[in-house]
Amino acid sequence: MPERSLIFPAQEYRDRVARLQAHMDAAGMGAVLLTSAADVFYVTGFLTRFWESPARPWFIVVPSAGEPVAVIPSIGAELMGRTWMPQIRTWDAPDPRDDGVSLLAETLAGLVGPEGQIGVPMGLETQLRMPLADYAELGRKLAPRRFVDATDVVQLVREVKSEAEIARIRESCAIAGRAFDRVPEFAGAGRPLDRVFRDFQVTLLQEGADWVSYVAGGAGPDGYGDVISPAAETPLQPGDVLMLDTGAVRNGYFCDYDRNFAIGRASDAAKRAHAALWGATQSVLEALRPGHRACDVHRMLCDGLRRHGAEPGGGRLGHGLGITLTEWPSFTALDTTELREGMVLTLEPGAVLREGVIQVHEENIVLRADGPELLSPRAPSELPEIHE
Amino acid sequence: MPERSLIFPAQEYRDRVARLQAHMDAAGMGAVLLTSAADVFYVTGFLTRFWESPARPWFIVVPSAGEPVAVIPSIGAELMGRTWMPQIRTWDAPDPRDDGVSLLAETLAGLVGPEGQIGVPMGLETQLRMPLADYAELGRKLAPRRFVDATDVVQLVREVKSEAEIARIRESCAIAGRAFDRVPEFAGAGRPLDRVFRDFQVTLLQEGADWVSYVAGGAGPDGYGDVISPAAETPLQPGDVLMLDTGAVRNGYFCDYDRNFAIGRASDAAKRAHAALWGATQSVLEALRPGHRACDVHRMLCDGLRRHGAEPGGGRLGHGLGITLTEWPSFTALDTTELREGMVLTLEPGAVLREGVIQVHEENIVLRADGPELLSPRAPSELPEIHE
């Protein structure tokens, strides 16, 4: 199974570590400690659904110079051993007396001097995947070394994708594209929404997804109320607009985009909203360039919607994408992150049709020097109708 | 969609909160702060796959008396509004200036006096799902109030399931049971393992899973090497033993069990290992009672395996189960947790056939006053063979 557990040649990971180390050096960190599934996968290629179990913590230590070290439960030793990782230390987890804390402290102490700083992601969109009490104990064992925020160090590296990563995301987008093409096979008037959600997941798997980490959607007259609810058993009705959204995963890389379908004949209001969403997206596809900020995209999408006669809705209108369903930055009025060449992003405008009824539209892109390149097959400009 | 977002009648949640409050009172906590998907779902019934996005934190505050408060991103207001939750406060997330921290601090300060203690789960198997820097800022805003460990408070309540919860888990187990019955339809000599994994997920969805959060497995002569790797494209061979393991989800409740299948004729070694696993499990099904400790189950399973001529393998030999794929306790030699009536547990012995080759076997049970009641349909006592 080596090709599936490694995902990329070892050089890809060496390059990532070198980029991390350059940022760590600039930030004065002796090492960074990574605990999340995404950060561990990014450095190692260690891909497993076993993260679904909260029982065990997993640690990757990247020193400011030299090779990274995996400090992991022994149940993962075989799989980690098939990745490029040069150093693997294990303990038998879960251990209520000491669940890897001493081994991790010893590893960090061997790499970072007593006056040194250890980076841990602490900022927006980060979470520490280890028990808080163990983190406190680790701090006591490592004192006077200090933990400092490594959010920027990690994000500045992860947010710019390599061509190998872009190819993976394009592949996930293509899988979803083939599944969206087949929606008329299983969605139509009278079909319960929860069955449509199931059939959509089945179709994504049949089209090549390794697993389906996210499906959401909604359906109602001309649009829907919210976009995060599980599906009810309510049958689709003529006049409904059905939206399906997915984060399907292939080789650890996500797509994240949606499509809308009218059930039967679409109303003029539904068609206008869809056209405005499509048009606003088109404006950004034409105008966006590296150097724009995240808040500029928010403004461009809002302006585009209003130009097409629609009222912008929703909070953020897109975000980063890659090894989690959503990554920073956020296309809001408040996010001033500079967009750089190689970022993979979603454009996700929302339009309010009336109180409690919205439509959302989403595409996935990679930002090139001369503007966006689509990774998702472009949505049709007119709202498609599903007739029996 | 109310019945799907609520999952249970409001009284179920009121009972849970009352039980939490009794433990909080005994522990001297003015409130507990919950941030994980499972803890939020447990108190509120708020069920969504939106947790897959790491962008936004979600908070539930349970005061030692009175009603709980949801402090959540506004994107979740509609869905949370359809649950029983009496008080919902929202902010527009993600907000890089203040991502709900002030609103949460204000909520907690209104419920807990300056000398009070706020419980946060900090122990084994817990994670804080909010940025560390925001947690530190929350602590500064709330001083001199102190954060203390609420792991026991939450676990003592969550680990004993209500009859309504047990019915949900039984339903998820039944879905997996029907899918396991259909494995011979898609697994056989020559079929690539990654396709078998996909077909198994498809079958779980067809049999009623809302989504499939976990599929793992392995295949090899008489057994397999590890049980957490993604599937390779290697075709199944006659003489392989195929294991499939799943955490399929229905209404937010998991099953977690596996089944083994011989591809073609099973060897005597493979049959003996399977019989030992089955027999060791049978001994525990007959002997286990409330009052036993987690480490007793570990010992009973190891003894049972040896009695049947097999060498025990793997780390923990089972665990709790419910609203996450795995819950505490762990059936290891080190876990002294007392097993109580109403706990839902997995029995998961592993047998080592030879270096690098194991077989594992798993059943899901609820512990009753007079012993285990099976929630998974019992595995066949003899290793089933799949012939073309």
Side-chain angles (χ1 to χ4, degrees):
Chain A
M1 314 189 192
E3 78 285 355
R4 295 306 297 278
S5 56
L6 196 58
I7 309 293
F8 299 113
Q11 192 57 45
E12 170 84 13
Y13 301 102
R14 293 190 191 281
D15 291 347
R16 295 175 181 184
V17 168
R19 291 166 64 214
L20 283 169
Q21 288 175 330
H23 284 283
M24 288 159 63
D25 193 50
M29 294 169 196
V32 293
L33 168 62
L34 304 174
T35 63
S36 74
D39 287 341
V40 170
F41 175 56
Y42 188 75
V43 170
T44 66
F46 181 80
L47 180 63
T48 172
R49 298 186 81 182
F50 202 60
W51 293 96
E52 191 67 35
S53 165
R56 300 174 185 84
W58 304 73
F59 308 111
I60 300 297
V61 176
V62 182
S64 56
E67 291 183 319
V69 186
V71 181
I72 60 166
S74 47
I75 195 170
E78 170 159 340
L79 179 58
M80 190 65 85
R82 282 186 266 134
T83 72
W84 80 287
M85 282 296 284
Q87 291 187 68
I88 301 168
R89 300 180 187 177
T90 66
W91 83 98
D92 290 335
D95 185 332
R97 303 163 307 183
D98 180 347
D99 211 27
V101 176
S102 293
L103 188 63
L104 176 60
E106 191 186 296
T107 303
L108 282 162
L111 293 167
V112 181
E115 302 306 312
Q117 302 191 118
I118 297 164
V120 174
M122 300 179 181
L124 209 64
E125 312 211 16
T126 73
Q127 292 136 24
L128 180 77
R129 195 185 178 283
M130 71 182 285
L132 265 187
D134 284 357
Y135 178 67
E137 174 64 16
L138 186 69
R140 284 189 292 272
K141 282 182 188 289
L142 288 169
R145 295 168 191 84
R146 289 187 313 122
F147 291 123
V148 295
D149 187 6
T151 306
D152 284 354
V153 166
V154 174
Q155 292 192 345
L156 286 169
V157 174
R158 272 186 48 195
E159 71 190 18
V160 173
K161 271 60 179 177
S162 70
E163 291 305 321
E165 291 188 281
I166 293 165
R168 291 299 194 198
I169 299 170
R170 190 184 286 112
E171 193 181 1
S172 295
C173 286
I175 289 167
R178 295 194 295 272
F180 280 125
D181 286 344
R182 291 178 52 196
V183 168
E185 295 175 16
F186 54 81
R191 298 282 295 200
L193 188 61
D194 65 337
R195 195 184 304 172
V196 171
F197 273 39
R198 280 199 187 89
D199 289 343
F200 184 47
Q201 294 177 83
V202 165
T203 307
L204 287 160
L205 289 160
Q206 289 170 341
E207 293 298 340
D210 292 330
W211 53 80
V212 182
S213 289
Y214 187 72
V215 160
D222 301 339
Y224 21 83
D226 79 323
V227 296
I228 70 167
S229 296
E233 291 163 25
T234 323
L236 294 171
Q237 307 280 347
D240 279 357
V241 171
L242 164 71
M243 184 276 288
L244 290 170
D245 187 6
T246 185
V249 179
R250 171 86 178 172
N251 288 306
Y253 280 80
F254 282 75
C255 64
D256 178 18
Y257 66 101
D258 69 21
R259 288 295 176 258
N260 289 277
F261 304 87
I263 304 303
R265 186 177 298 276
S267 72
D268 288 344
K271 284 195 248 188
R272 274 197 307 270
H274 189 271
L277 291 163
W278 196 92
T281 303
Q282 197 63 24
S283 309
V284 176
L285 288 175
E286 285 159 17
L288 188 65
R289 293 291 180 278
H292 278 129
R293 295 164 305 163
C295 53
D296 295 330
V297 180
H298 183 264
R299 184 181 40 73
M300 290 159 76
L301 285 170
C302 289
D303 289 352
L305 286 166
R306 292 198 186 94
R307 250 192 340 267
H308 288 86
E311 175 62 26
R316 65 174 180 176
L317 305 182
H319 50 78
L321 171 67
I323 55 175
T324 51
L325 175 69
T326 73
E327 298 183 358
W328 62 93
S330 293
F331 296 151
T332 66
L334 295 169
D335 191 324
T336 57
T337 305
E338 185 191 333
L339 304 184
R340 299 190 289 154
E341 195 179 335
M343 279 188 171
V344 172
L345 302 161
T346 78
L347 301 175
E348 191 176 11
V352 181
L353 283 86
R354 52 184 180 271
E355 172 77 26
V357 179
I358 61 171
Q359 273 184 32
V360 292
H361 177 93
E362 194 167 15
E363 300 285 10
N364 297 163
I365 63 168
V366 54
L367 187 56
R368 302 294 192 182
D370 59 351
E373 176 191 334
L374 277 164
L375 296 177
S376 49
R378 186 75 171 104
S381 58
E382 288 186 21
L383 178 59
E385 297 181 347
I386 298 178
H387 297 280
E388 296 306 286
Chain B
M1 315 190 192
E3 78 286 356
R4 295 306 297 278
S5 55
L6 197 57
I7 310 291
F8 298 113
Q11 191 57 44
E12 170 83 13
Y13 301 101
R14 293 190 191 282
D15 290 347
R16 295 175 181 185
V17 168
R19 291 166 63 214
L20 283 170
Q21 289 175 330
H23 284 283
M24 288 159 62
D25 193 48
M29 295 171 196
V32 293
L33 167 62
L34 304 174
T35 64
S36 74
D39 287 341
V40 169
F41 175 56
Y42 188 74
V43 170
T44 67
F46 180 80
L47 180 64
T48 171
R49 298 187 80 180
F50 202 61
W51 293 97
E52 191 66 33
S53 165
R56 301 173 184 84
W58 304 73
F59 308 112
I60 299 297
V61 176
V62 182
S64 57
E67 291 182 319
V69 187
V71 182
I72 60 167
S74 46
I75 195 169
E78 170 159 339
L79 179 58
M80 190 65 84
R82 282 186 266 133
T83 72
W84 80 287
M85 283 295 285
Q87 292 186 69
I88 301 168
R89 300 181 187 176
T90 66
W91 83 97
D92 290 335
D95 185 331
R97 302 163 308 184
D98 181 346
D99 211 27
V101 176
S102 293
L103 187 63
L104 177 61
E106 192 186 295
T107 302
L108 281 163
L111 293 167
V112 180
E115 302 305 313
Q117 302 190 117
I118 297 164
V120 174
M122 300 179 180
L124 209 64
E125 311 212 14
T126 73
Q127 292 136 25
L128 179 76
R129 194 184 178 283
M130 71 183 286
L132 264 186
D134 284 358
Y135 178 67
E137 174 65 16
L138 186 69
R140 284 189 291 272
K141 282 182 189 287
L142 287 169
R145 294 169 192 83
R146 290 186 315 120
F147 291 122
V148 295
D149 188 5
T151 306
D152 285 353
V153 165
V154 174
Q155 292 191 346
L156 286 168
V157 173
R158 271 186 48 195
E159 71 189 19
V160 173
K161 270 60 178 178
S162 70
E163 290 305 322
E165 292 188 281
I166 293 164
R168 291 298 193 197
I169 300 170
R170 190 184 286 111
E171 192 182 1
S172 295
C173 286
I175 289 167
R178 294 194 295 272
F180 280 124
D181 286 345
R182 291 178 52 195
V183 168
E185 294 175 16
F186 54 80
R191 299 281 297 201
L193 188 60
D194 64 337
R195 195 185 303 172
V196 171
F197 273 38
R198 281 198 186 88
D199 288 343
F200 184 47
Q201 294 177 82
V202 165
T203 308
L204 287 160
L205 289 160
Q206 290 171 340
E207 293 297 340
D210 292 331
W211 52 80
V212 182
S213 289
Y214 187 71
V215 160
D222 301 339
Y224 20 83
D226 79 324
V227 295
I228 70 167
S229 295
E233 292 164 25
T234 322
L236 294 172
Q237 307 279 347
D240 280 357
V241 171
L242 164 70
M243 184 276 289
L244 291 170
D245 187 6
T246 186
V249 179
R250 171 84 177 175
N251 288 306
Y253 280 80
F254 282 75
C255 65
D256 177 18
Y257 67 101
D258 69 21
R259 288 295 176 257
N260 289 277
F261 305 86
I263 304 302
R265 185 176 299 277
S267 71
D268 288 344
K271 284 195 247 188
R272 274 197 308 270
H274 189 272
L277 292 163
W278 196 92
T281 304
Q282 197 63 24
S283 309
V284 176
L285 289 175
E286 285 158 18
L288 188 64
R289 293 293 180 275
H292 278 129
R293 295 165 304 162
C295 53
D296 295 330
V297 181
H298 184 264
R299 184 183 39 73
M300 290 158 77
L301 285 169
C302 289
D303 289 352
L305 285 165
R306 291 198 187 95
R307 249 194 339 268
H308 288 85
E311 175 62 25
R316 65 173 179 176
L317 305 182
H319 49 78
L321 171 68
I323 55 175
T324 51
L325 175 68
T326 74
E327 298 183 358
W328 62 92
S330 293
F331 296 151
T332 67
L334 296 169
D335 191 325
T336 57
T337 305
E338 185 191 333
L339 304 185
R340 299 190 288 154
E341 195 179 335
M343 280 188 171
V344 172
L345 302 162
T346 78
L347 302 175
E348 190 175 12
V352 180
L353 282 87
R354 53 184 180 269
E355 172 76 25
V357 179
I358 60 171
Q359 272 185 32
V360 293
H361 177 94
E362 195 168 14
E363 300 285 9
N364 297 162
I365 62 167
V366 55
L367 188 54
R368 302 295 192 182
D370 59 351
E373 175 191 336
L374 277 165
L375 297 177
S376 49
R378 185 75 170 106
S381 57
E382 288 187 20
L383 179 59
E385 297 180 348
I386 298 177
H387 296 279
E388 296 306 287

